[in-house]
Amino acid sequence: MLVLITYDVSTSSVGGTKRLRKAAKVCQNYGQRVQNSVFECIVDSTQFEELKIDLERIIDVEKDSLRFYRLGDNYKTKVTHIGVKETIQLEDPLIF
């Protein structure tokens, strides 16, 4: 399923910049960045739960925010992109 993850980490507090970097790193392990604090991740239900747990351990619930949007398996008809930053098709083969 495709999951859209957004986060808002307060960098004005001590440790905020470190939490921000850690959250981005965790999300990059599961998907691709599509905007500054927005990631698209194709995961199964087990990976989704692991991802949520990993991010919950990082953020400060008193200062930060996480949002998860589950778009399901038929996401290709639900996502429209307009603009310059093209994204990689996550399910296509990756050639180095």
Side-chain angles (χ1 to χ4, degrees):
M1 76 177 128
L2 177 66
V3 177
L4 186 72
I5 301 168
T6 67
Y7 54 84
D8 186 18
V9 176
S10 174
T11 57
S12 62
S13 63
V14 176
T17 305
K18 188 175 182 179
R19 289 193 313 276
L20 180 65
R21 282 193 309 269
K22 283 183 176 184
K25 194 172 214 174
V26 166
C27 289
Q28 285 174 333
N29 289 335
Y30 289 90
Q32 70 175 333
R33 183 189 302 263
V34 293
Q35 292 186 355
N36 286 338
S37 295
V38 181
F39 284 80
E40 289 178 351
C41 304
I42 295 181
V43 293
D44 59 31
S45 57
T46 302
Q47 291 170 320
F48 178 58
E49 290 305 317
E50 290 172 353
L51 174 57
K52 283 193 331 187
I53 290 167
D54 289 347
L55 289 171
E56 287 173 22
R57 288 181 180 147
I58 293 169
I59 69 157
D60 180 340
V61 296
E62 300 292 322
K63 301 173 184 169
D64 307 331
S65 172
L66 274 173
R67 295 181 71 96
F68 300 92
Y69 300 90
R70 289 185 280 184
L71 299 177
D73 293 326
N74 297 320
Y75 62 89
K76 291 181 182 178
T77 61
K78 298 176 185 174
V79 178
T80 303
H81 176 262
I82 300 169
V84 296
K85 190 173 181 181
E86 286 295 322
T87 58
I88 303 167
Q89 294 301 319
L90 294 173
E91 294 179 324
D92 287 350
L94 184 60
I95 300 171
F96 290 96

